[in-house]
Amino acid sequence: MDTTVPTFDLGELQQGNHQEEFRRCLADKGVFYLAGSGLGEADQKPAKDVAVDFFEHGSEEQKRSVTSPVPTMRRGFTGLESESTAKITNSGSYTDYSMCYSMGTSGNLFPTDDFEQIWTGYFDRMYRASRDVARQVLRTTGAEPEGGVDAFVDCEPLLRFRYFPEVPEHRSREEEPLRMAPHYDLSTVTLIQQTPCSNGFVSLQCEVGGTYVDLPAVPDTVLVFCGAVATLVTGGEVKAPRHHVAAPGRDRIAGSSRTSSVFFLRPNSDFRFSVPLAKECGFDIGLDGETATFQDWIGGNYVNIRTKTGA
């Protein structure tokens, strides 16, 4: 298989162009770059700048005030190494070498009014773009969720901004190869705006054709992962690819910090899916019966496990 990650233009897809190529990409790869989404660096930069400033200069008291007391609630601040995707996915015990700020449509924790204003505007723009992308994925595959496509994408999304600082030597590739463990997303689609490492190291990688390939930041595009929900709602017609965040070698630690704005278009909690299909597609789901809800899934075996050492 060709392991190149293709680029599509949203406007052209909406006009009905490149449909067969797009359909093959969804089925075989589940990852692509997207131009024409309406999102650019000017959208991300204010949100990135205010978040990184808070990470670097916010007091411990300020950070505690916007840290959710509920471990399974992805809202507010999450400190460095406070989460472990490896534990969540039962693939190891190492921590995510990142810190994070998260928000949704409700229950948010903002450190300042200015932060809230900037992030609410950014969230709305990401939400709008992600719904446009999801509509196109579902229409290209001929999927018709219960209640219709438009109702399905009017849902319960989540925005997580991750800051990956330079790793210490004990987290370099030679000691611990990954900053974040391999996983697929529990979303319909995931949109990512990432900043590159200043030293040129590419940290985000995705499984394509049986091998992990680099996913560098590409100007004027967003990166799109199809998630497990897209697989289920299309009856297995869309791949949910596994991806991870690699650690640099000791000789590339300097200049290897990066940020990533990750918008998960997740279905409403009452979205019901086939448990046998989920297992047939290889998803890690500890549920029985013929059907389950999205809330059953995320509340059962894919929760936010915090580490003992994290903030």
Side-chain angles (χ1 to χ4, degrees):
M1 178 194 293
D2 177 12
T3 58
T4 303
V5 176
T7 300
F8 296 96
D9 181 272
L10 179 60
E12 292 188 6
L13 292 175
Q14 289 172 329
Q15 291 171 13
N17 299 325
H18 314 295
Q19 289 299 290
E20 187 54 39
E21 181 185 355
F22 188 50
R23 188 178 293 105
R24 286 198 305 270
C25 174
L26 296 176
D28 297 339
K29 299 177 180 179
V31 57
F32 54 94
Y33 290 98
L34 188 73
S37 69
L39 291 171
E41 182 181 352
D43 296 285
Q44 184 199 31
K45 189 177 186 305
K48 172 179 68 71
D49 289 349
V50 73
V52 172
D53 180 71
F54 178 72
F55 292 165
E56 294 182 341
H57 302 114
S59 68
E60 290 305 309
E61 181 180 355
Q62 288 174 318
K63 290 175 180 176
R64 281 194 299 270
S65 72
V66 291
T67 298
S68 174
V70 183
T72 56
M73 190 69 171
R74 287 176 166 90
R75 293 291 188 273
F77 175 72
T78 307
L80 184 64
E81 295 192 90
S82 291
E83 296 179 347
S84 172
T85 300
K87 288 183 180 180
I88 293 171
T89 58
N90 299 311
S91 60
S93 59
Y94 57 93
T95 58
D96 299 343
Y97 203 82
S98 68
M99 58 187 73
C100 188
Y101 177 80
S102 307
M103 72 167 289
T105 57
S106 62
N108 294 305
L109 302 167
F110 298 108
T112 66
D113 290 342
D114 286 344
F115 192 111
E116 178 177 2
Q117 181 178 3
I118 291 170
W119 268 79
T120 298
Y122 184 47
F123 180 94
D124 290 344
R125 290 188 290 276
M126 290 281 276
Y127 189 13
R128 183 166 53 250
S130 69
R131 282 180 288 187
D132 287 341
V133 177
R135 288 187 188 99
Q136 194 57 51
V137 168
L138 296 175
R139 288 168 180 165
T140 295
T141 55
E144 187 62 35
E146 183 177 353
V149 170
D150 287 337
F152 183 74
V153 301
D154 186 11
C155 53
E156 299 175 8
L158 174 69
L159 173 58
R160 306 203 84 193
F161 176 83
R162 286 191 180 273
Y163 173 47
F164 295 87
E166 295 179 4
V167 298
E169 283 207 12
H170 74 271
R171 287 299 301 262
S172 67
R173 182 185 62 222
E174 292 84 357
E175 302 296 329
E176 182 58 70
L178 299 178
R179 298 186 193 186
M180 181 181 292
H183 60 283
Y184 50 82
D185 290 342
L186 292 187
S187 65
T188 304
V189 294
T190 302
L191 269 59
I192 299 178
Q193 285 190 293
Q194 57 175 326
T195 56
C197 300
S198 63
N199 68 2
F201 176 67
V202 179
S203 195
L204 182 60
Q205 299 176 326
C206 180
E207 189 275 319
V208 178
T211 187
Y212 275 87
V213 301
D214 288 347
L215 296 174
V218 175
D220 302 319
T221 71
V222 294
L223 182 66
V224 180
F225 287 125
C226 295
V229 174
T231 304
L232 298 175
V233 80
T234 62
E237 294 298 315
V238 172
K239 181 176 181 179
R242 291 168 67 82
H243 46 283
H244 64 217
V245 180
R250 290 191 187 97
D251 61 340
R252 303 201 71 183
I253 288 177
S256 63
S257 65
R258 62 182 284 269
T259 69
S260 185
S261 300
V262 188
F263 194 92
F264 302 92
L265 190 73
R266 308 194 311 178
N268 290 327
S269 58
D270 60 356
F271 164 67
R272 188 165 290 276
F273 63 90
S274 165
V275 173
L277 176 60
K279 293 180 178 179
E280 181 183 334
C281 293
F283 298 139
D284 181 19
I285 180 166
L287 298 171
D288 297 316
E290 286 300 310
T291 65
T293 65
F294 186 67
Q295 182 59 48
D296 293 333
W297 194 358
I298 61 173
N301 72 330
Y302 206 89
V303 296
N304 179 8
I305 300 176
R306 290 186 181 167
T307 66
K308 294 180 180 179
T309 58

